[in-house]
Amino acid sequence: MASISGKSRWTHEDPRTRVRTVLAELAQAAQANVSAGQFLHAWLNGVLSATDGEWGAISELSGDRFQVVLEMGTPADENLTGEVLDRRLQFRRGAIAAQEATCLPPRSTVEPFARASDSDHFVLVAPVSPQRQWPAIVELAFPATVEEGVREVWVRFISQAVGLVDDYLLRSRLRIAARRQGVADAAVDFVRAVNKSIDLQSAAYTVVNEARRFVECDSVCFLRRHGNRYRAEAVSGAEQVDKRSM
């Protein structure tokens, strides 16, 4: 992905070509086995690259407030307090409820955008998760000189880009479920292996060897209590216990 701090990586002026290129990159990123933080960083960076955005932020709805979880670029020239903040919150919540992107004009005094922004930039507000897997919004700021036709391309682009966040979240949940199923299956195999033998010594060696494989550790030791002392009955990877090494 391109840096948002220097010159644009684009040598052409066709916004449609930009968004097609970035959408393909983001679709690839959504399929990668990476952390949520890594994916969201790549996603927001790509979105800003496609739109030549000067600032972008992802905020999560927590209770009745939005908490910023990721921010890039030069902070928007806004003072979100008082009535402006209240109006912006309406658009943020509305984006999540209606699952639609909205482009707020700079310092508009005309409804329905009146007092929703005191920035000299256009501010695009959109839901991050169209399928409502995550109550969050993304906001992007780009210059007021951007033409209306180009802004419409950006709105359509962000509507497609947020769908890729849902793709990533779904794949991530499936990977977690698969890992959990793998652990559950391994636990069942462990119990079955231990229960195959009624002989204490054989069971002890089964426990240490299967436990070592199950928890992926270096060594497991099985101790048996004798009065106030404990005696090693089995050590993983060894056929018998060397009493001198215990």
Side-chain angles (χ1 to χ4, degrees), residues 192-215:
R192 286 174 177 168
V194 171
N195 287 330
K196 280 184 178 180
S197 176
I198 59 174
D199 176 69
L200 177 61
Q201 196 70 20
S202 297
Y205 276 100
T206 300
V207 167
V208 295
N209 290 318
E210 289 295 321
R212 180 187 179 189
R213 180 179 61 84
F214 181 61
V215 299

Side-chain angles (χ1 to χ4, degrees), residues 72-93:
M72 288 184 180
T74 304
D77 55 341
E78 288 191 285
N79 182 22
L80 289 180
T81 58
E83 187 178 12
V84 176
L85 176 58
D86 291 340
R87 290 284 287 160
R88 180 64 65 80
L89 288 175
Q90 291 178 20
F91 278 96
R92 288 173 173 174
R93 293 193 180 97

Side-chain angles (χ1 to χ4, degrees), residues 1 6 16 33 55 82 87 106 111 135 142 157 172 184 197 234 244:
M1 295 296 176
R16 293 172 180 81
N33 186 11
W55 168 84
R87 290 284 287 160
E111 293 294 351
F142 40 87
F157 160 69
S172 180
S197 176
R244 293 171 299 177

Side-chain angles (χ1 to χ4, degrees), residues 33-113:
N33 186 11
V34 297
S35 70
Q38 290 174 306
F39 170 73
L40 290 175
H41 189 278
W43 183 86
L44 184 56
N45 194 38
V47 166
L48 287 169
S49 170
T51 61
D52 272 341
E54 297 182 2
W55 168 84
I58 296 174
S59 302
E60 180 180 30
L61 179 60
S62 178
D64 60 349
R65 296 184 177 184
F66 283 88
Q67 301 288 336
V68 176
V69 297
L70 181 62
E71 187 174 19
M72 288 184 180
T74 304
D77 55 341
E78 288 191 285
N79 182 22
L80 289 180
T81 58
E83 187 178 12
V84 176
L85 176 58
D86 291 340
R87 290 284 287 160
R88 180 64 65 80
L89 288 175
Q90 291 178 20
F91 278 96
R92 288 173 173 174
R93 293 193 180 97
I96 293 176
Q99 296 299 300
E100 291 181 353
T102 302
C103 194
L104 305 177
R107 302 185 186 279
S108 178
T109 58
V110 180
E111 293 294 351
F113 306 115

